[in-house]
């Protein structure tokens, strides 16, 4: 019926554009060649506006977690005090990584499904009576679909401390605005398999001048993830210290071209439209949103349906309609499902997953909501275009 | 917004499955090799049930029109009388080809948008007082979207004449049932770019034992399209007389695998579902169908909207939603638009083109039919699965 087609709506990995796949299948080039140096420089430079970075963006071969670890391992020394804002599973992972490197972690825990407000951070920092080396925050918390107010959190951090501000941008960079300097971000990391439309395997790290000094002086034992090696290789020869994922980097250049052709502002605007379409669609068929409109991310949306049905809906979508969505993690396991809508995602893709949900709800309990989510989503789209 | 995606809903060419594209990009092989002989035999044999043929299906490198010409040029001799059933532009083309080879063509012209009924053919044949060499019919008339009752037309032909029955199956073979022997079909031709999910460039010809004798004796001048050469090459060495489109033939084998995996009966049933979904969807948003449900093809559907709007709707779909549909041809030019839904087409694709139409009608005149076609189409689908 569906001809072995599969429709991927997880919040990473995300679908890969045809032209990116084609580029990744070009003949391999050696990573110590002039051609690779040129490729790396192009990618690192063209990613700068996407990361809101004044410096070329560093590329590591590894998953998103390697990017988080890099941000911690190059900053934290045994016994350092750090604050980690935990709004979900990935904030929690950031905290675990900091602990693994010997930090005294002060967790600012927010109810899952809510953002951390600037006031909450201000209260938390004010009450601490130790020197904080860094504040770690998550831009989009993938496990709940909140988009934390990074600009304001950076401002509070800067005003109340002289610590570094380190941001996990894995599941949103490429789909949302960011400006490292004016938002006071010292390290911003991301991964390839989210809004950047690539397979998993590349980690991206942008660092401020201030962070560079701390990284340089950091005595923590590390080798593969030692940012000094990446900074030095890039500066000296536009290269990487270890064998990089050449094909993915070739694909990353094509992604940069795609974003430039669409226009980064238009990319951001498209994700706002996708967010609004899916939210209005879900509301129209009475599937409750975990996160409020104001706090929701333009890249992933979590739904909290009637108790016990989240995994059933997920399974019906998979088994009958070849639509893959994500379930909940940790404390939200079995309670929610999550729909990724970032990167290579168009309004028609939103309509497709809503079509699938309308069909799935009928299968679930005979509910007839055919066309209702679509009506709401198309109305949003028609107002936009 | 749509990331340079394009959605093809013309009644040929049709979308190509990923796995077929991959196979077509395998290393080239020589067409005089054992590997090619094996490939050709596999394809010619596996196509037999799809063509309802007891003989291996012949492959020519050319477009659908070359297949039609082959059917005529290998049968007709100067002065022969033939009947051509004309239910639209492609029946008319079949007649023109016959005339080009010197036939006295008796056109059985039916109002465009209607099938030729067995009674109409019976009347027509009864009134003719010349010996008829062949009756030419179109299975699916692409220009209007009717599906002629080939089985019954074959039966009438057989009962009233001793002429050959020659069928153009270009825009439906691979999506509809057919049985050459019991339906009395002597030559059945098709093309690659329709329900067979390939790029244009291959013509398929299945011939009966009786037709083979006529072809053998036919004195008409021909070379590239001389079926005797193809029959002989295939019989002697599982080869083609001239350099064939090797990649397309490799792709054709993959298409055979796909149809076998889904099951040919399921393929036929899927097309019936697609037909019903699109028809109910179109009715729900009051877009008038050119052809009745009973006479409509499961592969292409023609819509006759309010006068003067057909091309506007087509243009809005193209310019705003990257959806390509087809316009009308000849006397229906500007009067209708046509949506192809054959081959690599799923229920989600039907929903996509209906989503596009709902959006397009709003753009056309502010009509709010959001979700209405979807509701009707999803109801059909939900009853089916």
């Amino acid at each position: 019926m569906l001809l072995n087609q599969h429709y991927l709506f997880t919040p990473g990995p995300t679908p890969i554009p045809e032209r990116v796949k084609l580029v990744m299948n070009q003949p391999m080039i050696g990573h110590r060649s002039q051609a690779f140096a040129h490729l790396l420089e192009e990618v690192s430079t063209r990613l700068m506006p996407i990361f809101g970075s004044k410096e070329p963006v560093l590329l590591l071969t590894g998953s998103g977690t390697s990017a988080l670890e890099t941000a911690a391992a190059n900053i934290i020394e045994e016994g350092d005090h750090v604050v980690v804002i935990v709004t979900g599973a990935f904030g929690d992972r950031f905290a675990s990584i900091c602990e693994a490197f010997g930090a005294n972690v002060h967790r600012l825990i927010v109810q899952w499904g809510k953002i951390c407000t600037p006031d909450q951070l201000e209260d938390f920092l004010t009450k601490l009576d130790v020197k904080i080396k860094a504040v770690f925050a998550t831009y989009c918390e993938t496990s709940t679909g909140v988009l934390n107010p990074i600009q304001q959190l950076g401002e509070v951090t800067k005003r109340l401390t002289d610590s570094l501000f380190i941001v996990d941008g894995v599941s949103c960079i490429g789909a949302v605005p960011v400006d490292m300097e004016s938002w006071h971000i010292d390290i911003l990391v991301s991964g390839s398999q989210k809004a950047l439309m690539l397979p998993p395997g590349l980690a991206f790290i942008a660092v401020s001048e201030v962070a560079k000094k701390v990284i340089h002086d950091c005595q923590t034992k590390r080798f593969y993830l030692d940012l000094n090696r990446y900074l030095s290789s890039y500066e000296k020869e536009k290269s990487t210290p270890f064998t990089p994922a050449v094909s993915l980097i070739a694909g990353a250049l094509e992604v940069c071209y795609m974003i430039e052709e669409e226009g980064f502002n238009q990319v951001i605007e498209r994700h706002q439209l996708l967010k609004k379409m899916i939210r209005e669609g879900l509301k129209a068929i009475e599937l409750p949103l975990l996160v409020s409109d104001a706090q929701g991310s333009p890249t992933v949306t979590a739904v909290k349906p009637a108790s016990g049905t989240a995994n059933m809906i997920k399974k019906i979508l998979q088994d009958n309609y070849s639509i893959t969505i994500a379930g909940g993690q940790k404390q939200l396991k079995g309670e929610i499902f999550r729909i990724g809508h970032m990167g290579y995602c168009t309004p028609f893709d939103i309509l497709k997953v809503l079509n699938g949900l309308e069909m799935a709800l009928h299968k679930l309990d005979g509910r007839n909501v055919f066309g209702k989510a679509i009506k709401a989503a198309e109305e949003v789209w028609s107002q936009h275009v």
Side-chain angles (χ1 to χ4, degrees), chain A:
Chain A
M1 183 71 72
L2 297 176
L3 299 167
N4 295 316
Q5 293 184 14
H6 298 278
Y7 313 115
L8 185 63
F9 287 93
T10 55
T14 61
I16 317 295
E18 286 297 298
R19 59 188 275 193
V20 173
K21 282 191 253 183
L22 288 173
V23 163
M24 290 192 297
N25 280 297
Q26 295 294 300
M28 182 54 55
I29 57 171
H31 63 289
R32 298 297 178 220
S33 64
Q34 192 53 44
F36 180 75
H38 179 71
L39 169 64
L40 186 66
E41 187 175 14
E42 283 286 304
V43 174
S44 297
T45 310
R46 286 171 189 269
L47 285 174
M48 287 165 61
I50 297 167
F51 280 74
S53 169
K54 290 223 177 325
E55 301 284 321
V57 176
L58 299 171
L59 279 70
L60 275 68
T61 296
S63 67
T65 300
S66 77
L68 299 184
E69 173 162 339
T70 301
N74 285 272
I75 296 294
I76 291 171
E77 301 194 53
E78 186 79 30
D80 280 346
H81 288 268
V82 301
V83 167
V84 180
I85 299 170
V86 178
T87 53
F90 287 94
D92 200 56
R93 177 173 296 182
F94 224 164
S96 301
I97 292 169
C98 291
E99 281 166 348
F101 283 87
N104 287 304
V105 174
H106 303 269
R107 280 179 164 79
L108 193 178
I109 297 175
V110 177
Q111 186 195 334
W112 288 27
K114 305 276 187 199
I115 61 166
C116 174
T117 66
D119 288 349
Q120 282 172 305
L121 179 59
E122 181 152 1
D123 284 357
F124 193 82
L125 292 177
T126 308
K127 283 173 190 151
L128 284 177
D129 56 356
V130 289
K131 186 175 162 51
I132 296 297
K133 181 87 162 272
V135 173
F136 291 83
T138 316
Y139 196 167
C140 170
E141 172 53 63
T142 326
S143 65
T144 64
V146 297
L147 192 77
N148 281 299
I150 291 300
Q151 181 173 9
Q152 292 89 325
L153 297 176
E155 191 202 291
V156 169
T157 301
K158 181 79 177 176
R159 180 155 47 80
L160 298 183
T161 72
D162 57 357
S163 73
L164 298 171
F165 186 50
I166 298 177
V167 175
D168 166 2
V170 171
S171 65
C172 64
I173 290 299
V176 293
V178 63
D179 185 77
M180 288 182 68
E181 192 174 68
S182 70
W183 295 16
H184 311 295
I185 301 171
D186 292 294
I187 302 183
L188 175 61
V189 303
S190 195
S192 49
Q193 78 279 18
K194 307 277 185 169
L196 293 173
M197 309 186 273
L198 289 161
L202 277 187
F204 302 96
I205 306 192
V207 292
S208 71
E209 280 299 323
V210 174
K212 269 191 196 172
K213 292 193 194 80
V214 180
I215 291 163
H216 180 265
D217 296 339
C218 178
Q219 297 299 309
T220 295
K221 290 182 180 61
R222 63 207 195 269
F223 193 90
Y224 185 67
L225 301 182
D226 183 355
L227 274 182
N228 293 310
R229 297 177 190 268
Y230 290 84
L231 284 163
S232 159
S233 284
Y234 187 82
E235 275 158 32
K236 283 191 196 143
E237 44 194 8
K238 302 292 177 280
S239 183
T240 55
F242 316 114
T243 311
V246 175
S247 304
L248 293 178
I249 296 173
L253 181 56
E254 195 66 16
V255 166
C256 290
Y257 292 153
M258 285 183 70
I259 292 174
E260 289 167 16
E261 284 168 25
E262 185 177 1
F264 187 39
N265 285 336
Q266 280 67 43
V267 172
I268 292 169
E269 200 186 315
R270 170 166 52 83
H271 283 86
Q272 287 296 327
L273 171 64
L274 301 177
K275 170 188 170 181
K276 195 153 186 224
M277 284 177 69
I278 197 152
R279 288 185 156 261
E280 295 308 313
L282 292 165
K283 287 177 203 169
I285 52 177
E286 290 167 16
L287 283 174
L289 297 160
L290 177 69
V291 176
S292 70
D293 289 353
Q295 302 195 346
S297 171
T299 58
V300 53
T301 299
V303 176
K304 196 170 192 294
S307 183
T309 64
N311 282 342
M312 290 163 72
I313 293 169
K314 178 167 171 277
K315 188 170 156 46
I316 293 170
L317 280 176
Q318 183 67 64
D319 294 352
N320 295 275
Y321 306 107
S322 289
I323 288 177
T324 307
I325 59 171
Q329 294 173 305
K330 298 197 171 182
Q331 66 192 63
L332 289 173
K333 198 166 178 160
E335 296 299 312
I336 63 168
F337 61 78
R338 293 172 300 144
I339 301 165
H341 40 81
M342 70 187 104
Y344 195 56
C345 185
T346 75
F348 279 121
D349 293 314
I350 298 297
L351 296 176
K352 176 172 279 165
V353 74
L354 292 173
N355 282 143
L357 279 167
E358 290 180 354
M359 296 293 294
L361 291 177
H362 181 75
K363 268 220 174 306
L364 180 73
D365 57 14
R367 219 179 301 187
N368 182 329
V369 291
F370 298 126
K372 284 193 178 168
I374 297 303
K375 176 179 164 64
E378 285 181 350
E379 273 170 358
V380 170
W381 190 9
S382 72
Q383 282 152 25
H384 181 92
V385 205

